[in-house]
Amino acid sequence: MILPRRITGFNVPKGHAEGDPRSFRADCWRVVAPLHGRVEDRPQVLDVRFTSFMTQVLVLPDREVTALLNKVHAWLGFCRPLVPGGCLLKFVDLDPVGSSFAALGRYRVLSRGELERPVTESMCAELGRGELHQLKYWRKLAERGMIRVGDVVFNFWD
């Protein structure tokens, strides 16, 4: 896996088109409605000005999850519901929802295994200098000096 330039949300040029929250929400409904699920509005746990992603809460008959969409690239993942004060995203696999998002042809759906994989130097070949600087800084603060792919794609570094 190669992390594309600007996936971190840093150094994105002004005017660069970000993901559209309305389209994302509509796609969430399109995917969960056939499964007797719904999309719920919840107060934001994280200040969206400081995140590289947008969220939607998916309520399914057997569980709740948070869908995460990177603001720059249409990379999608899922985690347990976000809680105030929590700083670690707990990624999950979510089928058939993930497959349904992939079938829309607009998203790259990342599995839990991909999201929890440690970031390696070779994965960062396309990242810009500012992004690499941020990775170096946050890696020092991370538990055991390890940053996961999901921490880069879906970050709330300020």
Side-chain angles (χ1 to χ4, degrees), residues 20-154:
D20 176 27
R22 288 184 183 141
S23 295
F24 177 43
R25 184 172 174 79
D27 286 342
C28 287
W29 272 106
R30 189 172 291 118
V31 166
V32 300
L35 302 170
H36 307 289
R38 65 187 186 280
V39 181
E40 283 192 359
D41 284 320
R42 301 264 174 94
Q44 291 295 320
V45 173
L46 302 169
D47 188 332
V48 296
R49 295 174 301 167
F50 304 114
T51 67
S52 66
F53 59 97
M54 57 187 85
T55 64
Q56 290 292 320
V57 176
L58 310 180
V59 180
L60 300 164
D62 61 337
R63 63 178 155 166
E64 287 185 9
V65 296
T66 300
L68 310 165
L69 178 64
N70 184 275
K71 290 179 181 176
V72 178
H73 296 280
W75 286 26
L76 181 76
F78 303 99
C79 71
R80 291 187 185 155
L82 303 173
V83 295
C87 61
L88 181 68
L89 299 175
K90 295 179 181 168
F91 299 110
V92 297
D93 284 319
L94 189 62
D95 273 327
V97 173
S99 300
S100 296
F101 270 107
L104 294 174
R106 290 188 281 282
Y107 302 99
R108 174 167 182 194
V109 180
L110 301 170
S111 70
R112 177 181 175 196
E114 290 174 303
L115 292 166
E116 296 201 350
R117 186 177 303 152
V119 172
T120 63
E121 191 173 324
S122 63
M123 291 177 178
C124 300
E126 292 184 8
L127 297 181
R129 190 180 337 176
E131 291 176 297
L132 293 171
H133 177 75
Q134 289 292 327
L135 248 66
K136 184 178 177 183
Y137 174 80
W138 288 101
R139 183 174 277 139
K140 286 187 231 175
L141 301 177
E143 186 176 318
R144 297 176 305 212
M146 183 195 81
I147 294 182
R148 307 169 297 170
V149 167
D151 298 326
V152 174
V153 176
F154 306 114

